[in-house]
Amino acid sequence: MRSKKIITERNLELSKQIDKRRIPEHIAIIMDGNGRWATKKGLPRSFGHNKGVSVLKEIIKAAKNLGCRVLTVYAFSTENWTRPAKEVDYLINLFGKVLRKEIDEIHKESIKIKFIGDLSPFPETLKLVLKSSESITQNNQNFILNVCVNYGGRQEIVKVAKEIALKSFTGEIKASEVNEELFNSELLTKGVKDPELLIRTSGEKRISNFLLWQLAYSEIYITDVLWPDFNEVEFLKAIIDYQSRNRRFGGIESLPNESFEDSYCS
Ligand code: FPP
């Protein structure tokens, strides 16, 4: 009870520091550290994944309340198949279980859910749940939740290259028409602007094959906090840190009353 009160006070304190006009529209998250969190507590890794789900719910709510429009989370990478079969099965079952339980609430909150990645290797029962969750929520307007499952950034880029090569082969497009806009239109995230912010928990300083094309200019926020310990307070800290950055997109910050010659040739 007391710790909940302290968290709420901290939330209020941090909320005051946030500029509501500069909330990132799209935030990507690598939810890392579930296994380590559980192991540190002497629990099976599955406990970490379960706690991870409740944290995700809290962060969706916080992001939506702040005015963020899109959250893209990395739930299962193409590399995660190399984990012990028991853990892979656990995660696959968890996705189905969570969706069956939460889909009404997701729909009520007007959240459009989308699964990004190659769904083909998943069991038919899970594919049905994923597809029906997408179709139930397809017209929802408030918020988009992209869940990356069996997703790999390189695989996505190869897929786009193949689509473009095919269109060029059939004469639908000319090689000279291939540009970033065309590439964007073939991405699994098509129609959604690139994330302004990437959050990675558990301290690893890698992108791990996540949204390689889309993260080109994203600000990266890495915290040592393990995903199951992440919460609204930590999320607000990430937003405050993001708002302290100077996003130049490869350009330079223009200084008042200073010309190119003044700054470089004197
Ligand atoms: C990374 O921790 C986490 C995952 C591989 C799974 C994340 C999945 C969820 C939180 C469930 C999401 C569910 C739905 C329906 C969207 P890790 O296992 O790599 O931890 P470690 O690095 O400590 O081993």
Side-chain angles (χ1 to χ4, degrees), residues 71-117:
L71 205 60
T72 300
V73 297
Y74 210 3
F76 193 91
S77 74
T78 44
E79 290 73 30
N80 285 154
W81 294 106
T82 59
R83 294 187 176 205
K86 253 177 93 173
E87 184 167 346
V88 170
D89 289 347
Y90 187 87
L91 279 169
I92 289 175
N93 284 330
L94 183 66
F95 297 149
K97 203 172 96 184
V98 169
L99 281 166
R100 275 189 285 264
K101 182 163 172 264
E102 304 290 343
I103 194 62
D104 289 345
E105 179 72 13
I106 291 171
H107 189 37
K108 211 175 84 200
E109 288 292 321
S110 192
I111 296 172
K112 175 174 173 170
I113 192 162
K114 229 178 149 294
F115 296 92
I116 291 189

Side-chain angles (χ1 to χ4, degrees), residues 28-190:
I29 308 184
I30 301 179
M31 312 177 288
D32 198 13
N34 291 354
R36 272 166 286 166
W37 178 87
T39 307
K40 265 170 65 177
K41 292 185 175 309
L43 298 166
R45 291 172 60 86
S46 56
F47 280 68
H49 297 314
N50 278 332
K51 179 70 170 44
V53 172
S54 51
V55 171
L56 178 58
K57 282 167 60 181
E58 178 176 346
I59 299 309
I60 294 168
K61 211 175 280 175
K64 206 163 161 268
N65 286 343
L66 271 183
C68 165
R69 306 282 302 167
V70 186
L71 205 60
T72 300
V73 297
Y74 210 3
F76 193 91
S77 74
T78 44
E79 290 73 30
N80 285 154
W81 294 106
T82 59
R83 294 187 176 205
K86 253 177 93 173
E87 184 167 346
V88 170
D89 289 347
Y90 187 87
L91 279 169
I92 289 175
N93 284 330
L94 183 66
F95 297 149
K97 203 172 96 184
V98 169
L99 281 166
R100 275 189 285 264
K101 182 163 172 264
E102 304 290 343
I103 194 62
D104 289 345
E105 179 72 13
I106 291 171
H107 189 37
K108 211 175 84 200
E109 288 292 321
S110 192
I111 296 172
K112 175 174 173 170
I113 192 162
K114 229 178 149 294
F115 296 92
I116 291 189
D118 175 13
L119 307 186
S120 61
F122 290 123
E124 287 306 317
T125 45
L126 178 64
K127 278 193 263 189
L128 273 173
V129 179
L130 302 186
K131 287 286 153 203
S132 82
S133 306
E134 283 186 338
S135 85
I136 292 168
T137 61
Q138 64 183 334
N139 296 319
N140 290 347
Q141 304 280 337
N142 263 2
F143 191 81
I144 298 175
L145 174 65
N146 291 321
V147 182
C148 295
V149 279
N150 193 28
Y151 173 85
R154 285 189 175 178
Q155 289 82 344
E156 180 182 28
I157 290 172
V158 168
K159 181 196 102 57
V160 173
K162 274 189 190 155
E163 309 273 355
I164 291 177
L166 199 66
K167 283 188 176 167
S168 164
F169 181 73
T170 58
E172 206 178 314
I173 53 160
K174 296 193 201 93
S176 60
E177 288 168 347
V178 178
N179 56 24
E180 288 189 21
E181 202 186 336
L182 178 74
F183 210 92
N184 275 325
S185 72
E186 297 287 353
L187 287 170
L188 299 169
T189 53
K190 61 174 169 265

Side-chain angles (χ1 to χ4, degrees), residues 190-235:
K190 61 174 169 265
V192 170
K193 74 182 276 196
D194 292 340
E196 294 99 319
L197 171 65
L198 167 72
I199 298 175
R200 178 165 192 154
T201 59
S202 96
E204 307 291 351
K205 297 174 182 65
R206 290 187 291 274
I207 292 186
S208 299
N209 205 15
F210 189 42
L211 303 175
L212 295 183
W213 174 278
Q214 297 88 336
L215 292 174
Y217 286 102
S218 308
E219 295 297 327
I220 300 179
Y221 177 84
I222 294 170
T223 169
D224 285 336
V225 174
L226 304 174
W227 179 251
D229 284 330
F230 199 76
N231 55 26
E232 189 173 356
V233 165
E234 296 301 326
F235 183 68

